[in-house]
Structure formats: C-alpha cells, structure tokens
Amino acid sequence: MAESVSVRCPACREQHRYAAPVFPCACGTPLALPLLPDGLPEQVRHRSWNDSWVSMRCPDCGRRDEWPQPEYGCPCGEVVRLPVDHRALTESGAPPAPPSSVVIPVVALPPSPSAPPQRPAFRPVTIRTARDALTAAAQYLKWLGFANVRVAGDRTANGIDLRGDGVVAQIDPTTQPTRLRDVETLWLNCINEDSAGAFFSLAGYAHDARLRADQLAVPLFVMDLTGTPQPVNDAADHLIRTGPKA
C-alpha cells in the first residue's frame, strides 16, 4: 500500500491515518496518487463528478488516465478530501507504489477488532456514476455475507434500492448530505420487513440524520470514489461484526 499520512478532520478535529489507494495502470504498474504533505484537507460539501477525478500519467508506459480524488470517510460522518501534489504529477506522473503492493486494486477496511478474521479483503468498485455507487454497495453487502443481494424494483414505492436475504439498503449518490427523512425511511422499511438495514452515502449525513440513526440503530456508511464503504456509527460497526446475524 502507499505510505500513510496523518489527517486531521476539519469537522471533528480528530487525527487519523490515511493511505492513498493503489490502483493498477493498464500496463500493470501499481500507482498511488502523491499526497501534498502540508496540504489542508477539506470537507466535501458539494460533489461534482468532474472535480472528483485527477489526471495522472504512468511513469512506466506514459499512459494518462483519470483516477479518483483521494477522500476519507471520517467516523464523525464527514467526507474529507485530501489535497494531491499536482506539481509531482506534472513533473513525473504518479510515483509507482512500493514493490510489495498488489497489482489488483484490493482495498482492505481500516483495522478493526470487530472485523471477522476469516473474511477476505473487500474488492471495491470504482464509482464514476450513480449506478456504480449502487453496484459498490451491493458488492459490499455480499462481502458482509448477505445472499441474493439485488437491485430492488421501483424505489419510488418505498425508497429501497437494494434487497437481499434479511437485508434492505438505500444508497444516496447525490452531492448533498443525506437527510433525516431518508434515514427514517430506511428504519421503517427494516421494521416492516423484519430485516437488517444499511445506508450508503457519498456526501455524508446531515447532523440530525446522524443523531437519529444513532437513536434508531440504523447502520450508516460513507463511500469515497474508490467504492470502499466506511462505517460511520456503532450500528455500522455492529453490522460488520455480525453480518447476516444482525
């Protein structure tokens, strides 16, 4: 993996460690975006698809491609964007990842005592469109152990995006923080169907939505553009620990 850096969330001021994800170039060279050492992270208030990608050149084959802007889902619920060293990209392209890095883009969840040791590393789905966000969330639920995860029918009927054996989920791919009403809608569906639930958001959650989710024990996750969900609250940590038993 790429070298980790210390990141202070501008919202809660907590200090965390972050490593830019490693992706393979078409030629097979593992690459990681260079982070600006003294850059200031910023909260993602409004997301634009065009502003969420960084152009970089492979130093081995010279191919130039678009890569996801490094982002961190803080446990406080905020999505934080990490500044990229554009001078390094302009001068020599993205530096190759250390030789020990894998070529396949496998990103493991942050170390957690709750993660089952027998579970393999999660293989994310890079998010470029709203449909990709749906696919990434479905893959994550399958990784947690839920079977028959599929896209639900007409979401206008009850707001459900994904359905599986014993689980329902909603995905918010918009550029605004998820609202209180959406969290409560998922909770009502969980009660009606006697199922576990999970909410996935790209832009984080409004403060009142986060508080209500904690009261109702609704699992909240945030996803960056690499497609790797991160747990936001205790209910999400519990779902990771128990999977289909939640």
Side-chain angles (χ1 to χ4, degrees):
M1 295 182 65
E3 182 179 355
S4 64
V5 297
S6 180
V7 177
R8 183 181 297 276
C9 175
C12 68
R13 311 304 297 172
E14 289 293 325
Q15 200 83 15
H16 306 281
R17 300 297 300 180
Y18 174 86
V22 176
F23 295 100
C25 174
C27 71
T29 300
L31 303 175
L33 281 169
L35 299 178
L36 195 62
D38 300 323
L40 296 177
E42 60 179 14
Q43 294 171 256
V44 179
R45 295 297 190 185
H46 303 282
R47 188 187 297 280
S48 166
W49 291 110
N50 291 334
D51 293 337
S52 298
W53 300 91
V54 178
S55 177
M56 68 176 179
R57 179 179 57 82
C58 174
D60 284 356
C61 69
R63 177 189 175 94
R64 183 170 292 277
D65 211 336
E66 299 293 318
W67 304 83
Q69 176 83 31
E71 294 178 356
Y72 171 76
C74 181
C76 75
E78 294 293 335
V79 178
V80 181
R81 180 170 294 160
L82 284 300
V84 173
D85 189 347
H86 290 280
R87 176 177 296 181
L89 288 177
T90 302
E91 292 176 352
S92 59
S100 59
S101 299
V102 295
V103 173
I104 301 175
V106 177
V107 181
L109 289 175
S112 169
S114 63
Q118 72 277 12
R119 187 178 287 154
F122 174 63
R123 294 176 181 269
V125 176
T126 302
I127 298 175
R128 295 178 182 270
T129 66
R131 183 72 182 186
D132 292 337
L134 198 67
T135 301
Q139 292 297 102
Y140 189 75
L141 291 176
K142 294 176 183 177
W143 178 78
L144 288 178
F146 291 99
N148 299 320
V149 178
R150 60 199 179 279
V151 177
D154 184 7
R155 95 179 296 274
T156 59
N158 52 22
I160 294 301
D161 294 299
L162 296 173
R163 189 182 302 277
D165 292 350
V167 66
V168 291
Q170 285 181 232
I171 294 85
D172 185 357
T174 67
T175 60
Q176 299 293 329
T178 298
R179 303 172 302 169
L180 168 65
R181 180 179 178 182
D182 295 326
V183 170
E184 291 180 333
T185 297
L186 175 62
W187 176 74
L188 288 172
N189 279 295
C190 292
I191 296 298
N192 291 335
E193 303 195 21
D194 191 23
S195 297
F199 209 115
F200 299 87
S201 175
L202 280 179
Y205 299 86
H207 182 66
D208 56 353
R210 168 69 189 276
L211 292 179
R212 190 64 170 149
D214 290 342
Q215 294 171 351
L216 300 175
V218 175
L220 302 182
F221 296 87
V222 293
M223 293 192 296
D224 59 21
L225 294 183
T226 67
T228 306
Q230 305 285 356
V232 170
N233 57 1
D234 290 341
D237 286 327
H238 178 69
L239 185 64
I240 294 174
R241 287 197 304 271
T242 60
K245 298 179 181 180

